[in-house]
């Protein structure tokens, strides 16, 4: 199961790809940040986010995209940009028929650290350990994107299968339809 | 000057196209609503909004797109969907090199009624009068989209020209580059 996690933002949009199944060691396939200049026009920034997400989808062909759920209770100065960047990420995935899952920040923290109120350093430390990295990914948005992907792999695999079946066809098959392959490869 | 106004929303996204210049009668070229089912997945709804906006851009080739500026102070249950739909509209325009302008609801109301605190009925009545329509456009989202387009035509034409020059090339020329046409056709 290959998941692209997206920590949405206009200035820094964290992206990370993790492959694995619950109960086995996970593998990081890539991590990075899509940046757009703060002084650019909003429309152009959204186009740049779209191009960046498209490149990550092209490069890694994830089966799921996990995006942080945005709450309007957050800082009112940044929440609009976050909502807009997350809309672009969801749009890019849905256009390709890739199921999109939303996870709240506390769900993600709880998944990787055991506590929904863990701080950034704790999340970074656990992501580093779980993915057997040499050092915590920087910036924090990149680590958060990997945590989102891990959270999605670990949470509700049955729900994932249902969503995927609805979005594409029955079973755990990869994106390209392959009805002959019914065995469990994961 | 041809403007597509967009009153963003996931359930109902109002769209209206108005042509004209300040100080002369305005012409409505089209009005409608892009709808997406409330029970569909968010990603699919965003794809449907994108397709709808693309169809309006294809059909009317506006020189500007005016989108209502979303504030996070609004109803927290709907503001996220509004922000996401507005992001899709801005993305569609910016991808084509069409300048995007944001106007606040009070700017739009003040432009068409003279009062930033006018109610829906007042806005609908003035849109009907200014565009010489037989009846107010329904639903209110459609009337609001036309009001946005009118507001954009009337507000800061000098600023529009600068923005357009930056986005495309100098002057008031249509979207397709046509350097030979320097005369004022509007």
């Amino acid at each position: 199961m290959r998941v692209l996690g997206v920590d949405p933002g206009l200035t820094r949009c964290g992206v990370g790809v993790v492959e694995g199944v619950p109960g086995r060691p996970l593998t990081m396939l890539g991590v990075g940040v899509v940046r757009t200049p703060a002084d650019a026009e909003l429309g152009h920034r959204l186009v740049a986010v779209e191009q960046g997400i498209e490149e990550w989808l092209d490069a890694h062909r994830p089966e799921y995209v996990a995006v942080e759920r945005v709450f309007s209770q957050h800082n009112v100065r940044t929440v609009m940009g976050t909502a807009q960047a997350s809309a672009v990420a969801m749009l890019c995935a849905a256009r390709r028929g890739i199921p999109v899952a939303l996870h709240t920040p506390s769900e993600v923290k709880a998944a990787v650290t055991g506590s929904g109120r863990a701080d950034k350093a704790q999340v970074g430390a656990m992501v580093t350990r779980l993915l057997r990295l040499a050092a915590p990914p920087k910036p924090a948005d990149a680590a958060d994107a990997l945590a989102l992907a891990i959270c999605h792999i670990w949470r509700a695999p049955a729900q994932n299968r249902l969503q995927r079946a609805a979005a594409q066809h029955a079973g755990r098959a990869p994106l390209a339809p392959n009805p002959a392959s019914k065995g469990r490869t994961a």
Side-chain angles (χ1 to χ4, degrees), chain A residues 72-80:
Chain A
S72 52
Q73 293 93 313
H74 286 178
N75 183 343
V76 291
R77 292 186 58 187
T78 60
V79 74
M80 287 296 119

Side-chain angles (χ1 to χ4, degrees), chain A residues 55-144:
Chain A
E55 284 167 17
W56 278 83
L57 293 173
D58 282 340
H60 292 285
R61 307 268 158 197
E63 295 157 272
Y64 298 90
V65 172
V67 182
E68 186 176 298
R69 189 185 290 278
V70 183
F71 286 108
S72 52
Q73 293 93 313
H74 286 178
N75 183 343
V76 291
R77 292 186 58 187
T78 60
V79 74
M80 287 296 119
T82 309
Q84 287 157 341
S86 78
V88 172
M90 287 186 276
L91 177 69
C92 291
R95 264 196 316 231
R96 295 179 182 225
I98 304 174
V100 178
L102 300 174
H103 300 290
T104 66
S106 57
E107 284 168 353
V108 174
K109 289 172 187 173
V112 301
T113 75
S115 164
R117 284 178 286 178
D119 62 15
K120 292 265 177 208
Q122 214 177 331
V123 171
M126 283 308 296
V127 164
T128 308
R129 185 174 307 166
L130 293 166
L131 298 175
R132 289 154 292 142
L133 308 177
K138 295 275 173 64
D141 313 79
D144 285 347

